[in-house]
Amino acid sequence: SGMINFAQNNIANGAAGIQWHQDFYDAIKTPQTCSSVGYQSISSRIEAESFCGMQGIQTEPTADTGGGQNVGWIEVGDWLEYNINVPAAGNYTLNYRVASTGNTGQLQLIAPSGTLAPTTIPNTSVWQNWSSVSTTVSLSAGQQKIRLYASGAAFNFNWFQLSPASTTSSSSPQSSSSVPA
């Protein structure tokens, strides 16, 4: 807050020849939290940009099917939080929609019960060439805050979805690719 106050009071936008970009303010502000935000149903896709708390991420327009925004410029230690409502305890298939130009990306789902499902992000060759990656997680019922933590860097993230897992599914991550039309 000290840097923001300094910038606003001493080198504010509009000063001769100086224009601060919003990313400057975003980079130095206190992380957002989910304390007073409603809970999203997991019965539908949850867009990456619909987080209620975050640290270190940025958004950009996506070329993925459906348009909108994706989260990008992800570095190790960045995170996104979502308030979700899980209708029943059990195993759920977790699908992420991701893109990357390398093999360094990794997301961890952190739930109230602890860290679940570290998922490696595949190399899709281009930042906007989207792929779906799946794994199975066990969640408790009810309203809860989950965190998607970047334990590996350099990928884009567009959305995630949780759906009841079939009884024959495996708990190992699986990947499938598709390119937007």
Side-chain angles (χ1 to χ4, degrees):
S1 69
M3 288 188 73
I4 290 173
N5 287 336
F6 174 80
Q8 289 174 335
N9 295 320
N10 297 300
I11 318 173
N13 284 333
I18 297 176
Q19 179 71 30
W20 290 107
H21 193 276
Q22 183 61 43
D23 290 343
F24 166 77
Y25 294 111
D26 293 343
I28 63 173
K29 70 182 177 185
T30 305
Q32 298 175 8
T33 62
C34 297
S35 59
S36 63
V37 177
Y39 290 84
Q40 299 182 65
S41 169
I42 64 167
S43 64
S44 61
R45 192 176 284 172
I46 298 174
E47 298 293 330
E49 70 273 17
S50 68
F51 57 85
C52 59
M54 66 84 172
Q55 174 64 48
I57 61 95
Q58 297 178 50
T59 60
E60 66 179 342
T62 188
D64 198 6
T65 302
Q69 300 281 305
N70 67 256
V71 171
W73 295 277
I74 298 170
E75 298 178 0
V76 173
D78 291 352
W79 51 264
L80 301 153
E81 288 182 339
Y82 301 86
N83 284 339
I84 62 170
N85 188 18
V86 180
N91 289 330
Y92 288 84
T93 300
L94 171 61
N95 290 301
Y96 293 115
R97 190 74 166 159
V98 295
S100 178
T101 61
N103 292 311
T104 58
Q106 187 174 55
L107 267 176
Q108 293 181 4
L109 173 69
I110 302 173
S113 60
T115 300
L116 310 172
T119 304
T120 300
I121 308 303
N123 181 344
T124 64
S125 302
V126 180
W127 290 112
Q128 292 291 321
N129 185 20
W130 295 92
S131 175
S132 295
V133 180
S134 300
T135 191
T136 302
V137 297
S138 180
L139 295 172
S140 57
Q143 295 180 339
Q144 52 197 285
K145 176 174 56 178
I146 60 166
R147 179 176 282 194
L148 299 179
Y149 175 80
S151 55
F155 62 96
N156 286 345
F157 168 53
N158 192 19
W159 52 259
F160 72 97
Q161 188 167 13
L162 289 156
S163 55
S166 65
T167 56
T168 59
S169 73
S170 163
S171 64
S172 61
Q174 299 176 2
S175 173
S176 64
S177 297
S178 71
V179 179

